Structures are given as structure tokens and as C-alpha cells.
Amino acid sequence: MAANDYSTFWLLFGKYGATMTIEDVRDTYFPSATLKTMANKHSARLLPPRTGDVYDVRDVAEWWDTQRKAAAS
């Protein structure tokens, strides 16, 4: 099975489980960003929706796939 046969969701779910913290999102997608920058990105709605203090991995996967498609066009 080729690497592109795995969906973003399953890759994230396999590593983080059902939810991700803001630190997990930062470490995965913005490793050089500070937590303050991440909070600002969240406030500006530049990150996936959050429930309480966690992100649903399904929302993160959908958000990331949308980011990738937008960058490719």
C-alpha cells in the first residue's frame, strides 16, 4: 500500500487518537510558531474549529486537506 493510500484522518488518528490539543496542531503543522501565535491563528479562524480545549481529528484532517488543495491551485 502506497503512502498516499492513507487519508490524513487515519494518519492523525493513528498518532493522536480522536482529539488533538493546540500543542499537537502546532507541533504537526507550525513547529516554529509560539503558542501565542497559535492562539492568534485560532482567534482569526485560521485553524479548524475547536471544542473546549481540543480539536477533533476529523476537523483537523478536513482543514489540512483544504489547505493543501488551495496551495496546489
Side-chain angles (χ1 to χ4, degrees):
M1 182 176 274
N4 60 359
D5 290 340
Y6 293 104
S7 72
T8 304
F9 166 77
W10 285 112
L11 293 170
L12 292 173
F13 186 80
K15 183 170 183 177
Y16 297 106
T19 61
M20 295 174 75
T21 64
I22 196 164
E23 291 88 355
D24 294 334
V25 173
R26 178 192 62 180
D27 292 346
T28 303
Y29 298 107
F30 305 100
S32 61
T34 65
L35 284 177
K36 173 97 173 139
T37 300
M38 294 301 291
N40 289 339
K41 285 180 179 290
H42 177 76
S43 294
R45 300 184 189 271
L46 299 175
L47 296 175
R50 185 169 69 187
T51 303
D53 292 334
V54 296
Y55 296 91
D56 186 304
V57 171
R58 292 171 295 193
D59 293 335
V60 175
E62 182 179 328
W63 165 79
W64 182 248
D65 289 342
T66 301
Q67 298 295 313
R68 284 186 312 126
K69 288 174 187 167
S73 5

